[in-house]
Amino acid sequence: MVVTLNGMTLPSWASHVEDKLAPMPLLLVQAFVDTLDRDQGTDILADPDEARAWLAGTGLRASDPGRPDPDFADDLRLARAARESIRALIGRNTGDEPLSPGDLAPLEQVLGQVQPRLEAGTDGRVRLGPVLPARTLADGLLGLLLIIRDAQADGSWDRLKLCGNPDCRWAFYDRSHSRRGAWCDMASCGNRLKNRNLRARRAQLSEPRPA
Ligand SMILES: [Zn+2]
């Protein structure tokens, strides 16, 4: 399935993101983090079959249909843990606290398994690899880290943010001129949180004052 948005043809693996999309290849980082949708209560990386297909479709981990895949349960655990590490990295763009060693542990695990390496291409370009599609999940996650590194170098990283609703934490790309976007979607999260704060303030006001 191919979704078209604002003239941009979206790969099927990003069809769950729908709105406030990062440019490629940073979109892959956003789509990975947003495989968990707390608002809808869905997680693409919860069901093994769905997760295997999604990771293969993104090029983060190859799969051979019909072949036994004994490492998959461990890989799926690592993928979900790395997803929260990367969410914590993005959280720094929206004022979250510095990351703890625990936040970084899944990424350290990846970097303990694979190291970036320089690759000279037939096109004459020298780049850091591995490049996606990757064979193993560790290579795929390292590919995500390299995308993050490039986005940090070109400044696009700063626009990737987490929704200000603490129950949501959806990753969105802030294209606003002011760069002050705070919500994944004003209708679902921004207004909901504003109404909640308003109700709390009203409740405070209507409480009898201590004599
Ligand atoms: Zn939200």
Side-chain angles (χ1 to χ4, degrees), residues 163 165 168 170 184 189:
C163 176
N165 178 353
C168 175
W170 182 259
C184 67
C189 275

Side-chain angles (χ1 to χ4, degrees), residues 39 162-165 167-170 172 182-185 188-190 192:
D39 192 43
L162 296 184
C163 176
N165 178 353
D167 298 331
C168 175
R169 310 256 295 159
W170 182 259
F172 69 97
W183 315 107
C184 67
D185 172 40
S188 70
C189 275
R192 192 187 301 163

Side-chain angles (χ1 to χ4, degrees), residues 84-153:
E84 294 321 300
S85 297
I86 294 174
R87 195 188 310 279
L89 296 179
I90 301 170
R92 289 293 285 150
N93 291 342
T94 16
D96 283 6
E97 295 291 312
L99 281 75
S100 68
D103 291 330
L104 290 171
L107 302 182
E108 298 286 349
Q109 186 184 334
V110 170
L111 292 169
Q113 290 177 29
V114 282
Q115 295 286 318
R117 53 187 177 264
L118 278 176
E119 293 174 354
T122 52
D123 57 358
R125 312 295 297 181
V126 179
R127 48 178 80 84
L128 268 179
V131 285
L132 302 173
R135 177 96 216 123
T136 67
L137 179 70
D139 269 345
L141 294 174
L142 186 58
L144 283 186
L145 290 178
L146 291 171
I147 291 171
I148 291 171
R149 175 193 161 279
D150 288 346
Q152 290 178 340

